[in-house]
Amino acid sequence: MSVIDSVSLPRNFRLPRVDGLVQWIVPLAIVALWQIACVTGLVPTRVLPAPSDVALAGWKLLLSGELIRNIWVSFWRASIGFLIGGSIGFAFGLGNGLSQLSAKLTDTTLQMVRNVPHLALIPLVILWFGIDESAKLFLVALGVFFPIYLNTLHGIRTVDPQLIEMGRIYGMTDSELFRRVIFPGALPSIFVGIRFALGIMWLTLIVAETIAASSGLGYMAMQAREFMLIDVVVLSILIYALLGKLADSASRVLERATLSWHPAFQKN
Amino acid sequence: MQTALRTILPETEFGSRANFAPHARVAREERPTQISGLPLGIRGLRKSYGDNEVLRGIDLHIPSGQFVAIVGKSGCGKSTLLRLIAGLEKSDAGSVSFGDEIQAEDIRVMFQEPRLLPWARVLSNVEVGLGRDRSSTDAHVRAEKALAEVGLADKRDQWPSVLSGGQKQRVALARALVSRPRVLAFDEPLGALDALTRISMQRLLERVWRDQGFTAILVTHDVAEAVALADRVLVIEEGRIAHDVVVNAGRPRERGSAELAGLEGSILNHLLSGDDRT
């Protein structure tokens, strides 16, 4: 037994508080190296401003309220676009996963639309909506739609048929079968779709805001470029990185909460 | 490494018998009336898939409460017969009738795979077996009682993924038992278990069958299992009942007794005799 004990020990050995910090070691080290490179003059500041300068620019924008306003505008656009596109994608995924007729009617069309890069529609969208809010929401919704649609559909189609047969034998009604078997079975795949969609959400929004907007993070970065404020440009890029990380963490938390039955999410 | 330990120490896998015997007694005392098994009548049952005629006219009467085992080579139609009895498939001709008006909850099936919902706790999985009574107020109590009968009362709040193969199959048994079925159909329920777990499960099946008095139909490829459990063994060959063997040994049966071994040998001879000819 002693051999087995000593082998299995490292697997259980954990330092939970350090665990949370470990992931930040590399980003922090990069920032530190970057600061050193700038201070020593290795990197000219007109190519890349020092992190301290970026932080200072951020502080100034924070005081003026401009930063918060732009972040809020972008965050609002991202969430509303995500909700609209996500719900439509989810609805189509459910419909086409559960009904052969619905799948036959719409799947081919959706697959064709999917292969058009949605950012290629920007000129058309500007013609349709101008540089209004609806243009950005439309693009984000369109970008988010496909990953959620495809993964919901895949999740529902791959639910274990033996479990569905079991549910029928035990007299589940259609709605019960959906609630107890099909939806929980499709959930892991739906979450994969959500995480893909979150990435696409930021990408689409930033591009859309850079090209056609009068507020938001992308707009802030473009304005700063015109005035050669390179520290603000870098600041915007860093904020994208943080927001992306935040969205990913949020979906992970949700995943952990709803998929606690899944062996991959169980502790130990 | 866990599985290895489990095979060496079957009692940790099952909890000691002393552990679940008292629960079973409680369940027995509280049950108001003994629900009897249903008799089963099968007439001229036929089923084909495309050109492949799987069942070629089965006539069979099973008295209520009998334990019948169906054996045969793979592809002989034994599983199809079970699925027809359980109403999972429609026959091409012939009929399956039960002696009484039946409800969906009266007939239950147990498969080779446990088919537990991985996202539901053990207790909720057992509650699924209540059928239309799932939402009734005593659903919890009934499910807990069924879990206690299979000796897994302490696992009620676990996820199925942390259970061993034998434990999962016992949860599936509790789910099948919770609605007090009058016919229980087993489709190789122990086929995927290791040898020692199988023997413990066979004892458990025999005990709940004797306690509850349902009519049991067990499809198995293991002739030893068939003669150890059943009152009667049906040998199916090429879609027909080739032999109908009555097992008279008293219960509880002693595994490996000369009487059972002799019976097992003669049934195996029937099954293998075809091979010599071809």
Side-chain angles (χ1 to χ4, degrees):
Chain A
M1 245 359 242
S2 63
V3 177
I4 293 162
D5 278 344
S6 61
V7 168
S8 62
L9 188 66
R11 213 195 294 168
N12 301 331
F13 182 74
R14 254 193 206 145
L15 292 169
R17 260 179 297 175
V18 175
D19 231 25
L21 294 179
V22 166
Q23 52 181 334
W24 292 103
I25 289 178
V26 173
L28 287 176
I30 290 175
V31 171
L33 282 178
W34 172 11
Q35 177 76 34
I36 293 166
C38 287
V39 171
T40 55
L42 206 65
V43 176
T45 45
R46 65 189 158 74
V47 173
L48 197 62
S52 53
D53 294 340
V54 175
L56 200 66
W59 180 245
K60 277 186 200 151
L61 286 172
L62 195 68
L63 287 184
S64 72
E66 208 181 324
L67 185 64
I68 297 294
R69 199 179 65 245
N70 282 322
I71 289 181
W72 173 249
V73 165
S74 291
F75 178 77
W76 181 85
R77 283 174 187 150
S79 338
I80 300 291
F82 184 87
L83 274 182
I84 296 173
S87 348
I88 301 176
F90 181 65
F92 269 100
L94 284 190
N96 291 0
L98 296 172
S99 149
Q100 284 296 321
L101 178 71
S102 166
K104 272 186 190 153
L105 272 177
T106 59
D107 194 54
T108 308
T109 317
L110 290 174
Q111 294 300 338
M112 285 198 292
V113 178
R114 182 172 78 92
N115 285 304
V116 178
H118 65 297
L119 292 176
L121 296 180
I122 287 180
L124 191 62
V125 169
I126 292 177
L127 286 179
W128 283 348
F129 300 104
I131 58 163
D132 203 6
E133 284 309 293
S134 38
K136 265 87 70 182
L137 294 186
F138 178 84
L139 282 170
V140 172
L142 191 68
V144 161
F145 173 87
F146 289 104
I148 294 201
Y149 165 68
L150 288 174
N151 285 287
T152 306
L153 182 64
H154 175 258
I156 287 184
R157 290 228 171 125
T158 51
V159 173
D160 186 353
Q162 291 191 334
L163 287 182
I164 295 178
E165 189 187 49
M166 184 280 295
R168 292 233 178 268
I169 293 171
Y170 282 102
M172 289 191 190
T173 58
D174 283 349
S175 71
E176 242 184 324
L177 197 65
F178 177 75
R179 199 159 37 84
R180 284 175 181 263
V181 183
I182 296 173
F183 181 70
L187 208 53
S189 176
I190 294 174
F191 270 111
V192 173
I194 288 178
R195 289 179 64 182
F196 268 117
L198 285 173
I200 292 186
M201 173 183 85
W202 287 118
L203 175 88
T204 313
L205 186 69
I206 298 315
V207 173
E209 282 184 345
T210 308
I211 293 169
S214 53
S215 60
L217 278 171
Y219 170 76
M220 189 174 91
M222 283 318 281
Q223 282 292 97
R225 181 193 60 91
E226 294 207 354
F227 296 107
M228 294 295 285
L229 299 171
I230 195 166
D231 46 357
V232 178
V233 174
V234 174
L235 177 73
S236 316
I237 294 171
L238 288 183
I239 292 174
Y240 298 150
L242 282 175
L243 285 177
K245 168 72 187 161
L246 207 67
D248 195 60
S249 303
S251 73
R252 267 169 199 259
V253 167
L254 209 61
E255 212 171 30
R256 257 171 208 283
T258 52
L259 299 182
S260 51
W261 56 270
H262 203 285
F265 293 96
Q266 272 158 13
K267 285 147 205 145
N268 303 322
Chain B
M1 126 86 201
Q2 271 196 322
T3 24
L5 264 186
R6 222 175 274 138
T7 359
I8 301 162
L9 306 165
E11 63 270 23
T12 54
E13 151 93 332
F14 290 100
S16 64
R17 284 191 79 74
N19 233 346
F20 61 80
H23 295 305
R25 210 177 306 129
V26 169
R28 225 174 299 161
E29 279 160 11
E30 282 175 10
R31 195 164 60 244
T33 46
Q34 173 90 14
I35 305 164
S36 61
L38 285 169
L40 197 74
I42 297 176
R43 297 202 150 274
L45 201 63
R46 285 173 180 278
K47 175 79 185 174
S48 21
Y49 297 100
D51 291 338
N52 182 17
E53 201 175 13
V54 184
L55 292 180
R56 306 173 180 190
I58 300 271
D59 290 286
L60 178 64
H61 175 76
I62 301 177
S64 73
Q66 194 171 50
F67 200 130
V68 177
I70 302 174
V71 297
K73 291 180 205 161
S74 38
C76 72
K78 54 188 195 297
S79 283
T80 308
L81 176 59
L82 189 92
R83 292 178 70 86
L84 287 171
I85 291 173
L88 301 183
E89 264 164 74
K90 288 215 179 313
S91 60
D92 298 335
S95 68
V96 178
S97 63
F98 302 92
D100 205 349
E101 282 285 296
I102 54 154
Q103 292 177 309
E105 286 81 10
D106 285 337
I107 301 173
R108 286 295 184 228
V109 193
M110 206 178 142
F111 297 98
Q112 180 167 359
E113 324 79 32
R115 301 198 186 184
L116 303 179
L117 299 174
W119 41 83
R121 307 264 178 191
V122 164
L123 192 70
S124 320
N125 263 298
V126 177
E127 279 171 34
V128 165
L130 286 167
R132 279 167 294 179
D133 295 342
R134 257 189 294 272
S135 43
S136 71
T137 46
D138 64 341
H140 266 40
V141 182
R142 290 173 69 182
E144 269 170 28
K145 220 183 270 180
L147 261 185
E149 267 172 82
V150 299
L152 286 179
D154 56 331
K155 301 284 184 200
R156 47 169 289 173
D157 293 324
Q158 301 278 10
W159 296 116
S161 59
V162 305
L163 302 182
S164 68
Q167 287 172 332
K168 283 181 192 162
Q169 208 51 308
R170 276 150 76 200
V171 175
L173 178 63
R175 180 179 63 191
L177 290 174
V178 71
S179 65
R180 298 276 160 201
R182 302 173 71 183
V183 176
L184 201 44
F186 301 98
D187 191 359
E188 309 223 8
L190 315 181
L193 303 178
D194 64 82
L196 285 170
T197 311
R198 277 178 84 106
I199 293 171
S200 306
M201 275 297 280
Q202 286 167 6
R203 288 189 180 142
L204 178 63
L205 285 187
E206 188 178 22
R207 184 171 59 74
V208 294
W209 168 71
R210 292 178 75 184
D211 281 353
Q212 301 200 5
F214 50 80
T215 306
I217 302 160
L218 168 75
V219 162
T220 179
H221 57 251
D222 180 351
V223 179
E225 180 172 291
V227 296
L229 286 173
D231 297 322
R232 179 181 173 196
V233 180
L234 302 173
V235 181
I236 298 209
E237 266 166 27
E238 293 173 345
R240 292 193 185 85
I241 295 175
H243 301 281
D244 189 339
V245 184
V246 174
V247 185
N248 275 323
R251 292 178 194 269
R253 287 179 185 164
E254 201 187 323
R255 286 194 69 87
S257 76
E259 190 187 1
L260 293 183
L263 208 54
E264 182 187 341
S266 74
I267 293 173
L268 275 174
N269 278 340
H270 282 312
L271 280 170
L272 297 173
S273 59
D275 287 354
D276 302 334
R277 262 179 267 136
T278 48

